[in-house]
Amino acid sequence: MPIDVDGILSELHEKYENQTEFLQATDSFLFKIRDFLKEHEEFRDEGIIRRMVEPDRIIDFRVSWVDSDNKERLNRGYRVQFNKALGVYKGGLRFHPSVNLSVFKFLAFEQTLKNSLTGFNLGGAKGGADFNPRDYNDSDIMRFCQAFASNFYFYTNYNTDVPAGDIGVGTKEIGYLAGYTDKLKNSFSGSYTGKVMELAGSHLRKEATGYGCLYFVAQMLKDLGRDPKGLTMNISGSGNVALYACEKAIEMGMKVRTLSDSGGVVVFEDGITDKQLKWIKELKFEKRGRVSECTDKFDVEYHEGKKSWDIPCDIALPCATENELLKEDAETLISNDCLIVAEGANMPCTSEAVDLFLDNGVFYAPGKASNAGGVSVSALEMTQNQLRYSWEKSKVDSLLKKTMNEIYDRCKKYGGSSWDVPNLAKGANIGGFVRVYVAMRDQGVF
Ligand code: NDP
């Protein structure tokens, strides 16, 4: 019996009509695997596919805390434990005022497929809170993290759920969360990744998503027969993913022309230098500054309210947030002969933008494949924690590279296409789907 994909889609739309981000992710997944299901009888258990688009569990909790001015504050915490078929729940925490259940469900669903694609045994989850670290000082951030951990610690453990960082959650916040969780459990539980080295972290975890994205782009360029040296790249965002992607791109000889934040874009006509990047890292990671401040220091242009996509480039790397690259941005990139779009962020391109890239021969890498470097090094951090041992940087780097190459090959394997470069969007969805399906099938119905 063929699978009733349209039936599953309309049921989801009926049940979750207001969860637009979640529906965007599940629509895209179901459309991309539809032909594969028609051709492969062995993947036609409709019950498994219906369960695969429903989260295992959603935890939703109050985070009340007292700030350093003795004022009581109230936030909402969430954790969507989406799918555990392949292993422990794994995925980041996001602290941002815009979060809601739809965003966490989409992120957790994408994470499930992403973690499957890595080849590691990891389930998928995502969570966080409607807390804006930008509104608070360090002492308040610590207080909030401790309140979050005290309401959430019993759900995290090496064998159940191992969160990491995401937007608004960097090494500092992970230190507070992991530290307080361990205090409450009175043990070293290894229940977070993204820790600094002194707290049993791994080399290269903070760099991993950005570096991994560039290792993925290197494979795409190899297949296009292009040398990275001298190619121009526009990056959006100026956080963890964006700045380490920028670092690796410069190392590979590319010219990175833009970085941005929600205020606007800063343009480095001749490409960002190592020295400039060092200053920007300090500005963003230590002083929590804005990219507009680059104009105080360097001879660069800042365009308020603009994005990175109006400026011609060979490679576009959206590394900020979901749905930041719209149909009209895709049209501009295409008319400027952009070769590659590789997602550093999760679902930064709208469905219309992705369709335009695929229809116009732009080599497109979906985030669930190209940004999987972060979770891959998290998996390595978990292994090192269990071994109570720390691997050298060079070993972690070569394992990261190997994993990204394997993800690329998996996407190519399933991404057959009528045009001359593989459809990685299709390949990533099918590649992620296959492992989760087999694990769910072999575990039985529950
Ligand atoms: P950060 O919080 O470190 O940085 C996010 C950056 O994006 C900030 O510079 C922020 O600017 C900017 N930004 C947010 N909204 C917009 C917008 N509308 N236009 C332009 N810039 C914007 O987060 P990360 O770098 O960790 O995460 C970025 C993306 O990568 C997210 O989609 C995340 O889910 C994904 N990701 C992260 C991983 C990780 O390991 N950290 C792993 C895999 C994916 P502002 O300060 O103005 O808000």
Side-chain angles (χ1 to χ4, degrees):
M1 266 268 286
I3 300 252
D4 180 14
V5 171
D6 289 330
I8 302 176
L9 278 165
S10 55
E11 239 175 65
L12 283 171
H13 278 256
E14 220 168 280
K15 268 205 276 192
Y16 303 119
E17 60 173 337
N18 296 322
Q19 299 185 354
T20 47
E21 294 85 358
F22 177 58
L23 291 173
Q24 184 182 339
T26 46
D27 281 2
S28 158
F29 165 70
L30 289 167
F31 285 135
K32 301 262 173 356
I33 65 164
R34 190 202 292 255
D35 288 344
F36 179 82
L37 297 178
K38 274 189 205 144
E39 290 152 17
H40 292 81
E41 234 173 274
E42 67 277 28
F43 291 101
R44 289 222 195 114
D45 183 332
E46 196 167 308
I48 295 179
I49 295 167
R50 282 178 190 281
R51 273 182 278 134
M52 207 183 277
V53 290
E54 280 289 334
D56 290 354
R57 184 178 301 109
I58 296 172
I59 305 155
D60 171 1
F61 51 97
R62 187 182 73 202
V63 186
S64 47
W65 55 289
V66 177
D67 73 14
S68 43
D69 291 329
N70 227 12
K71 187 162 177 219
E72 190 178 323
R73 302 278 184 180
L74 191 59
N75 290 93
R76 200 80 205 149
Y78 302 88
R79 185 70 172 167
V80 178
Q81 296 182 331
F82 211 102
N83 192 300
K84 202 168 187 276
L86 285 175
V88 296
Y89 296 114
K90 184 86 195 88
L93 294 179
R94 176 178 291 190
F95 291 167
H96 197 273
S98 68
V99 298
N100 56 46
L101 198 52
S102 170
V103 169
F104 285 131
K105 277 179 71 181
F106 118 68
L107 287 167
F109 178 66
E110 289 282 293
Q111 192 79 42
T112 302
L113 297 170
K114 181 190 308 188
N115 293 359
S116 166
L117 261 182
T118 64
F120 289 107
N121 279 97
L122 295 173
K126 203 86 186 190
D130 60 349
F131 169 77
N132 191 357
R134 265 168 56 190
D135 291 345
Y136 294 100
N137 60 33
D138 274 5
S139 161
D140 288 335
I141 290 173
M142 183 182 76
R143 287 159 185 253
F144 173 78
C145 289
Q146 291 179 344
F148 186 96
S150 68
N151 285 286
F152 181 58
Y153 77 98
F154 30 85
Y155 297 107
T156 63
N157 196 307
Y158 178 74
N159 284 316
T160 51
D161 189 338
V162 186
D166 192 77
I167 292 178
V169 180
T171 46
K172 184 176 61 190
E173 290 77 15
I174 291 290
Y176 296 147
L177 290 161
Y180 207 66
T181 299
D182 285 354
K183 176 192 158 56
L184 294 169
K185 288 178 188 274
N186 193 28
S187 69
F188 171 77
S189 58
S191 49
Y192 281 81
T193 59
K195 305 179 291 293
V196 293
M197 289 305 289
E198 292 74 15
L199 294 176
S202 171
H203 281 297
L204 290 183
R205 175 57 189 91
K206 67 179 189 308
E207 295 89 345
T209 309
Y211 280 18
C213 195
L214 265 294
Y215 293 151
F216 197 92
V217 167
Q219 293 302 304
M220 297 168 86
L221 286 169
K222 202 162 127 196
D223 274 349
L224 291 180
R226 298 291 298 255
D227 185 348
K229 282 197 184 64
L231 293 180
T232 54
M233 175 179 278
N234 290 0
I235 297 180
S236 66
S238 48
N240 173 276
V241 179
L243 295 186
Y244 288 109
C246 178
E247 184 167 282
K248 188 51 79 177
I250 296 172
E251 198 186 301
M252 286 164 62
M254 299 184 200
K255 249 190 205 181
V256 179
R257 285 228 184 97
T258 70
L259 290 170
S260 68
D261 57 28
S262 49
V265 59
V266 62
V267 184
F268 293 73
E269 200 45 53
D270 302 321
I272 300 172
T273 62
D274 285 326
K275 224 169 141 187
Q276 287 169 328
L277 181 62
K278 188 166 176 267
W279 185 87
I280 297 166
K281 274 165 54 181
E282 226 178 274
L283 171 80
K284 298 300 290 190
F285 296 146
E286 280 159 42
K287 301 182 187 142
R288 295 203 273 158
R290 316 295 301 154
V291 290
S292 57
E293 291 171 57
C294 289
T295 55
D296 302 339
K297 178 82 180 163
F298 311 118
D299 182 20
V300 291
E301 281 181 27
Y302 174 69
H303 304 291
E304 196 178 334
K306 299 279 182 205
K307 300 187 192 176
S308 298
W309 321 127
D310 297 335
I311 292 133
C313 62
D314 297 311
I315 302 171
L317 226 66
C319 295
T321 194
E322 58 271 9
N323 292 328
E324 53 158 310
L325 196 157
L326 311 176
K327 182 171 171 252
E328 50 270 31
D329 301 318
E331 285 164 350
T332 309
L333 285 166
I334 291 164
S335 66
N336 285 331
D337 293 326
C338 178
L339 282 175
I340 286 178
V341 176
E343 295 182 340
N346 285 310
M347 211 169 73
C349 303
T350 61
S351 309
E352 294 86 359
V354 173
D355 289 345
L356 276 176
F357 293 141
L358 295 176
D359 291 345
N360 287 277
V362 176
F363 203 3
Y364 161 77
K368 60 173 79 69
S370 47
N371 74 29
V375 74
S376 301
V377 172
S378 276
L380 303 176
E381 182 175 335
M382 289 162 74
T383 307
Q384 292 169 81
N385 285 174
Q386 288 305 293
L387 295 171
R388 306 226 186 277
Y389 190 73
S390 183
W391 293 330
E392 284 178 7
K393 201 172 183 173
S394 56
K395 173 165 176 151
V396 177
D397 195 32
S398 72
L399 288 172
L400 169 63
K401 211 176 273 175
K402 176 173 171 282
T403 308
M404 295 313 294
N405 293 350
E406 286 169 357
I407 294 171
Y408 183 73
D409 290 343
R410 222 162 266 137
C411 293
K412 269 189 13 176
K413 175 179 163 191
Y414 292 109
S417 148
S418 52
W419 47 291
D420 57 356
V421 290
N423 182 339
L424 301 180
K426 184 173 153 196
N429 278 289
I430 299 171
F433 160 76
V434 166
R435 283 186 79 221
V436 180
Y437 182 99
V438 172
M440 289 179 77
R441 182 197 64 199
D442 293 352
Q443 285 174 350
V445 182
F446 53 86

